[in-house]
Amino acid sequence: MDSEPATDWTLDPQLEHDTIFVCDLPLCQVRLMNDANYPWLLLVPRRAKASEITDLSEADQAQLMREVAQSVRALKSETVCLKINVAAIGNVVAQLHVHVVARFRNDPAWPKPVWGHLPARAYEDTARQNLVAAMRTRLTIAPA
Amino acid sequence: MDSEPATDWTLDPQLEHDTIFVCDLPLCQVRLMNDANYPWLLLVPRRAKASEITDLSEADQAQLMREVAQSVRALKSETVCLKINVAAIGNVVAQLHVHVVARFRNDPAWPKPVWGHLPARAYEDTARQNLVAAMRTRLTIAPA
């Protein structure tokens, strides 16, 4: 899975600022958006200079889909949400990153997309630690 | 590619109303959003009852990624856009559909996402026919 060198990849500073490390999958670093409004993962392929999905090799594109599907299942199992939103937008931060967001009928943006709707509301320490630990377990101990 | 029966798939009426047929790829029906604000494709996997990406088989998930990448390349080549936005949201229309949107620094929503920003502005006949024909050619004659 790690067919291309990842040594010159570094996380975009804005993404680092907005998120918390969860775990490394074979291709992507998984992070939790520090926004208690919605359970929200970010998948960042560890490939330097990738901005569009098509900047990845075909093998990496296939692996990205597997890791997206794995993250969808993990987030859906953990949150028992109504719907998952998946998106690669990147108009503001160019570094390729995929949003995986758990949505609920009573969340503050429903049924609109979450982007640009509300300012992020930082998690309290315990809630953040618990969700990161739960996602890490679901993504690394039981990835299927 | 067509390992599952597609006979009981029908396009969601709302998606049909908002879009124009472009072509059928092995998994997805490709349609153009009838919104001249942004060149905007919709990929709809012809699989009954699929709502989340994870409702597709692993083979279909891999094929979806290939068709998304093919559509990104085709739309980017045709429009010479700055960025492509890719998203599976589905909060309003449950039938699984993937947005592939060409974005420009001077488009009416930039740098925000396009969803819910402006009402759709229908294409004029000639512009619509030309874009559909161009996308059909790029997606079916030269898919690579």
Side-chain angles (χ1 to χ4, degrees):
Chain A
M1 296 309 159
D2 222 333
S3 56
E4 296 181 11
T7 48
D8 54 353
W9 176 84
T10 54
L11 183 64
D12 176 273
Q14 184 68 48
L15 297 185
E16 183 165 29
H17 175 267
D18 296 343
T19 61
I20 301 125
F21 177 80
V22 175
C23 63
D24 277 323
L25 297 177
L27 176 64
C28 295
Q29 183 163 113
V30 181
R31 304 185 65 93
L32 176 73
M33 192 75 86
N34 190 16
D35 184 353
N37 288 310
Y38 329 89
W40 182 342
L41 299 176
L42 226 59
L43 273 66
V44 191
R46 296 191 302 283
R47 295 291 181 257
K49 298 179 188 166
S51 179
E52 302 283 6
I53 288 168
T54 48
D55 293 335
L56 299 176
S57 69
E58 278 190 46
D60 281 348
Q61 290 172 22
Q63 181 62 19
L64 176 59
M65 177 56 94
R66 285 190 287 272
E67 296 182 7
V68 165
Q70 185 180 343
S71 302
V72 167
R73 286 192 299 267
L75 193 58
K76 194 146 196 170
S77 303
E78 179 62 29
T79 65
V80 198
C81 60
L82 178 63
K83 187 73 187 72
I84 297 277
N85 296 165
V86 176
I89 301 176
N91 300 341
V92 177
V93 171
Q95 181 172 73
L96 179 60
H97 58 286
V98 180
H99 304 266
V100 180
V101 192
R103 303 301 307 274
F104 300 85
R105 210 175 286 279
N106 63 347
D107 76 37
W110 183 266
K112 294 181 186 166
V114 296
W115 302 280
H117 190 82
L118 280 182
R121 180 166 62 84
Y123 281 99
E124 294 179 24
D125 286 353
T126 306
R128 186 188 69 243
Q129 288 159 5
N130 287 347
L131 185 52
V132 166
M135 294 313 306
R136 187 175 295 150
T137 299
R138 287 186 185 272
L139 285 166
T140 56
I141 311 295
Chain B
M1 296 308 159
D2 222 335
S3 55
E4 295 182 12
T7 47
D8 54 353
W9 177 85
T10 54
L11 183 64
D12 176 274
Q14 184 68 49
L15 297 185
E16 183 165 28
H17 175 268
D18 295 344
T19 62
I20 302 124
F21 176 80
V22 175
C23 63
D24 277 323
L25 297 177
L27 175 64
C28 296
Q29 183 162 113
V30 182
R31 304 185 64 93
L32 177 73
M33 191 75 86
N34 190 15
D35 185 352
N37 287 311
Y38 330 88
W40 181 344
L41 299 176
L42 227 59
L43 273 65
V44 191
R46 295 190 301 282
R47 295 290 183 255
K49 299 178 187 165
S51 180
E52 302 284 5
I53 288 169
T54 47
D55 293 335
L56 299 177
S57 69
E58 278 190 47
D60 281 348
Q61 291 173 21
Q63 182 63 20
L64 177 59
M65 178 56 95
R66 285 189 287 270
E67 295 183 7
V68 165
Q70 185 181 342
S71 302
V72 168
R73 287 191 299 267
L75 193 58
K76 194 145 196 171
S77 303
E78 180 62 29
T79 65
V80 197
C81 61
L82 178 64
K83 188 73 187 72
I84 297 277
N85 297 165
V86 175
I89 300 176
N91 300 341
V92 176
V93 172
Q95 182 172 74
L96 179 59
H97 57 287
V98 180
H99 303 266
V100 180
V101 192
R103 304 301 307 275
F104 300 85
R105 209 175 287 280
N106 63 348
D107 76 36
W110 184 266
K112 293 180 186 167
V114 297
W115 302 279
H117 190 83
L118 278 182
R121 179 165 63 83
Y123 281 101
E124 295 180 23
D125 286 352
T126 306
R128 186 188 66 243
Q129 288 158 5
N130 287 348
L131 185 52
V132 166
M135 293 314 305
R136 188 175 294 151
T137 300
R138 288 186 184 273
L139 285 166
T140 55
I141 311 294

